[in-house]
C-alpha cells in the first residue's frame, strides 16, 4: 500500500472462486489511525458484505477477520478496510488467505 496516503476505503485482496464449495478465509492488516472513529475490516462476496469487524480507537491497530461459507464457481471474494469518519493509512503489507474446506 501507499503508506503516505490516507484512505477512507482500501481493497487489499481479491480472489475468484475456482469451484463451488465451502471456503475458509482470513485477512489481516495494520493501519495507522488518528482519532477514535469506527474503522472496519470486511470480507465481500461479489458486491455483498458477508462479514465485518469494527474497531474504535486511535493509534496503530491490527485488524483481523475470519469467515467460512459456501461459494460458487466465479464468486469474487474481496478484503476491504473502511472508515466511517476519519481516514487511516495502511501499514506494511495486508495479508489474506483462502482455503477450500468442503464440497
Amino acid at each position: 500500500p501507499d503508506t503516505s496516503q490516507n484512505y477512507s476505503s482500501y481493497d487489499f485482496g481479491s480472489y475468484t472462486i475456482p469451484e463451488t464449495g465451502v471456503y475458509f478465509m482470513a485477512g489481516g492488516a495494520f493501519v495507522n489511525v488518528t482519532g477514535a472513529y469506527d474503522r472496519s475490516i470486511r470480507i465481500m462476496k461479489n458486491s455483498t458484505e458477508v462479514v465485518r469487524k469494527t474497531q474504535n480507537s486511535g493509534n496503530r491497530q491490527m485488524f483481523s477477520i475470519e469467515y467460512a461459507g459456501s461459494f460458487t464457481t466465479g464468486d469474487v471474494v474481496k478484503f476491504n478496510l473502511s472508515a466511517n469518519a476519519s481516514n487511516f493509512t495502511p501499514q506494511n503489507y495486508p495479508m489474506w488467505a483462502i482455503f477450500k474446506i468442503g464440497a
Side-chain angles (χ1 to χ4, degrees):
D2 181 352
T3 58
S4 66
Q5 179 169 331
N6 289 330
Y7 296 86
S8 59
S9 181
Y10 180 75
D11 292 331
F12 67 92
S14 179
Y15 180 75
T16 302
I17 299 295
E19 64 180 320
T20 299
V22 177
Y23 288 79
F24 172 80
M25 49 202 63
F30 278 101
V31 298
N32 195 25
V33 298
T34 55
Y37 299 101
D38 287 347
R39 287 160 189 90
S40 300
I41 185 170
R42 306 183 301 162
I43 297 176
M44 311 289 287
K45 177 181 181 180
N46 300 314
S47 60
T48 303
E49 179 183 290
V50 292
V51 65
R52 172 193 298 241
K53 186 175 178 184
T54 300
Q55 294 175 207
N56 182 324
S57 68
N59 302 318
R60 193 168 190 226
Q61 296 175 274
M62 173 61 184
F63 287 76
S64 62
I65 197 165
E66 302 83 29
Y67 178 76
S70 296
F71 291 83
T72 58
T73 302
D75 283 343
V76 177
V77 175
K78 293 181 182 178
F79 294 85
N80 173 270
L81 293 167
S82 63
N84 73 345
S86 184
N87 293 332
F88 61 88
T89 304
Q91 303 290 298
N92 304 328
Y93 293 98
M95 304 160 287
W96 56 276
I98 297 176
F99 303 94
K100 185 175 181 194
I101 57 174

